[in-house]
Amino acid sequence: MSTKHVVSVSGGKDSLATLLVALERCPRADVIPIFCDTGNEHDETYAYLQYLETQLAIEIVRLKANFTAELAAKRVFIARDVRNRREYDTRPVFEADGVTPVPKRDGRGAIVLNKKGKPVQKTVKVGGGRRVRWTNKAKRRALAVMFPSGNPFLDLCMWKGRFPSRTAQFCTQELKTNMAVSFQLELMEAGHKVISWQGIRRDESQNRANASKWERVGTGLWIVRPIVDSTAEEVFAFSASRGLKPNPLYLQDMNRVGCMPCINCSKPELRAIAARFPEHPKRISEWEWRVGQCSKRGFSTFMTDAHPAKDRRAVFADLNIWTRIEWSKTSRGGRQFNLLDEEENEGGGCSSSYGLCEQSELTTWEAATL
Ligand code: SF4
């Protein structure tokens, strides 16, 4: 059996350069470009994939996650949920001096120790707690909308009852990594050796600063990262030297190609998306409503953040996509529109973060985009 070269293509510049290297170094028949479709992409990206297929005379395999079974199981779980436990917030207990912690004791009066042999501090419940089980109202709300939409991103969030966040970035795992790994495993089960080509660069982020060029993952599976030493300019230049245009999104204020928007998108990028592609915030707003219906608490926001309010309505009012867009038009987190900035942008000039239209300074990368 032959070695298959699986190249993850996102529609961005790095994965394109990686694909070009693979096509130049490996037998064409063994190069398999894959695209993990999150369902949260811009139409320009889908069109760009077709452009690449035509220009390079290749076929890009589209992989799309399907959560139909998970949603069906969740519906059954919600409908049957009769748990009567409550979840409480707690606060630590101190002696009268307000400094010395009171140790927690078990039923026999012995001090409870943690794994390191240190005493565990006593805590007390605060407030009336929250019911763990789904209320009948929340059940009705969720069961009315929790059906597969065919959009992987939306279906994933409905299944989870929330949107992903920086600390719970399950979108990457469920929509991209799992799909790519399953595809590679299928090839291996068919008897092929697999080399997974990844388009990442060391100067993209701290996380990727030590990325190696080659990595052996296991028997019959390697990872190669041919452009780790390259800069963004070199990558663009390389593709241009092969006669390929970049994804048009780079020319429209986008400094990355991928989800539109990404849950981690930067303030300027969110502002640009709202100004240039208003249909996307509108779609996200509809998703916020639908995912909120599937959430036990009734609200969910696309871009999450720490918030002091306990009331989910107040949190939603402050963090929903429209409020975030208004915030993206302000400077230093304030609530005022940054009119100066708006006016400066009116002059046209280079609207690309990479200076593709005109000679302009490159902007700093947002960390670790996909
Ligand atoms: S691009 Fe952003 S929203 Fe999309 S899968 Fe990656 S982290 Fe999640």
Side-chain angles (χ1 to χ4, degrees):
M1 288 286 179
S2 59
T3 299
K4 295 295 180 191
H5 300 268
V6 179
V7 188
S8 297
V9 177
S10 67
K13 63 190 186 318
D14 294 333
S15 62
L16 172 58
T18 304
L19 174 62
L20 292 175
V21 175
L23 288 170
E24 288 180 9
R25 289 189 194 164
C26 311
R28 261 184 173 253
D30 293 329
V31 176
I32 310 177
I34 59 169
F35 171 70
C36 299
D37 186 355
T38 63
N40 187 19
E41 315 281 336
H42 195 287
D43 281 346
E44 299 258 25
T45 296
Y46 294 122
Y48 187 65
L49 293 177
Q50 286 176 353
Y51 162 79
L52 292 181
E53 287 180 319
T54 308
Q55 293 297 311
L56 298 170
I58 54 166
E59 187 197 341
I60 300 174
V61 179
R62 271 72 162 177
L63 303 175
K64 213 169 176 178
N66 185 330
F67 298 100
T68 305
E70 286 82 355
L71 286 169
K74 182 83 179 268
R75 285 173 55 80
V76 172
F77 171 78
I78 292 172
R80 288 183 181 164
D81 189 12
V82 289
R83 293 171 295 171
N84 52 19
R85 213 160 42 84
R86 290 183 87 82
E87 266 176 3
Y88 293 88
D89 289 332
T90 58
R91 68 171 169 77
V93 180
F94 294 91
E95 299 288 3
D97 61 8
V99 180
T100 313
V102 173
K104 182 177 177 180
R105 293 178 184 275
D106 63 18
R108 293 182 187 148
I111 291 176
V112 177
L113 303 177
N114 64 17
K115 282 184 189 160
K116 292 180 181 168
K118 301 246 171 80
V120 174
Q121 187 171 4
K122 183 179 175 181
T123 56
V124 288
K125 292 172 184 167
V126 180
R130 295 173 294 276
R131 270 195 287 188
V132 170
R133 86 168 178 84
W134 285 71
T135 62
N136 288 337
K137 188 178 172 191
K139 281 183 182 182
R140 281 197 300 275
R141 209 173 44 211
L143 293 176
V145 300
M146 195 181 281
F147 294 100
S149 67
N151 185 301
F153 202 106
L154 175 58
D155 288 353
L156 170 65
C157 297
M158 285 200 291
W159 168 42
K160 298 276 185 185
R162 56 166 293 186
F163 287 97
S165 65
R166 264 181 213 277
T167 50
Q169 204 167 298
F170 52 82
C171 45
T172 316
Q173 187 69 34
E174 298 280 354
L175 301 171
K176 296 191 171 184
T177 315
N178 288 357
M179 299 308 295
V181 169
S182 301
F183 184 80
Q184 290 165 6
L185 287 177
E186 276 173 29
L187 287 173
M188 290 169 73
E189 278 161 20
H192 298 288
K193 289 182 179 168
V194 172
I195 298 181
S196 172
W197 292 65
Q198 297 180 353
I200 64 171
R201 294 177 296 101
R202 291 190 183 125
D203 71 353
E204 276 182 80
S205 71
Q206 206 56 38
N207 280 348
R208 297 177 175 183
N210 297 318
S212 52
K213 259 194 173 161
W214 273 94
E215 205 176 304
R216 184 171 178 267
V217 182
T219 310
L221 179 60
W222 292 266
I223 292 174
V224 60
R225 304 180 180 102
I227 60 162
V228 278
D229 295 324
S230 307
T231 62
E233 297 98 321
E234 287 168 347
V235 160
F236 277 124
F238 176 63
S239 303
S241 72
R242 301 304 190 266
L244 290 168
K245 293 184 290 189
N247 188 318
L249 293 174
Y250 286 123
L251 310 176
Q252 299 174 68
D253 286 340
M254 302 296 116
N255 62 6
R256 49 171 285 287
V257 167
C259 285
M260 181 65 61
C262 170
I263 51 153
N264 298 325
C265 92
S266 65
K267 203 172 176 183
E269 195 180 352
L270 181 60
R271 184 172 54 200
I273 289 171
R276 287 183 178 273
F277 315 118
E279 67 280 12
H280 286 274
K282 192 163 171 287
R283 173 176 50 80
I284 295 296
S285 175
E286 287 162 10
W287 285 9
E288 284 186 332
W289 176 81
R290 194 155 165 186
V291 174
Q293 299 296 95
C294 297
S295 145
K296 209 190 294 180
R297 294 182 180 182
F299 297 96
S300 190
T301 56
F302 182 77
M303 300 176 87
T304 55
D305 214 341
H307 197 286
K310 283 264 184 282
D311 178 10
R312 295 297 298 169
R313 276 186 197 81
V315 176
F316 184 79
D318 266 4
L319 299 182
N320 73 68
I321 191 71
W322 300 119
T323 317
R324 297 300 286 249
I325 287 170
E326 290 308 300
W327 162 81
S328 76
K329 297 172 186 170
T330 64
S331 54
R332 294 185 205 89
R335 295 273 164 187
Q336 297 298 312
F337 287 106
N338 185 354
L339 295 175
L340 181 63
D341 192 21
E342 303 276 310
E343 283 163 13
E344 280 174 349
N345 284 343
E346 273 179 14
C350 176
S351 62
S352 166
S353 297
Y354 291 97
L356 291 175
C357 302
E358 311 266 340
Q359 296 296 309
S360 80
E361 292 288 314
L362 297 183
T363 57
T364 313
W365 272 81
E366 283 299 308
T369 52
L370 290 164

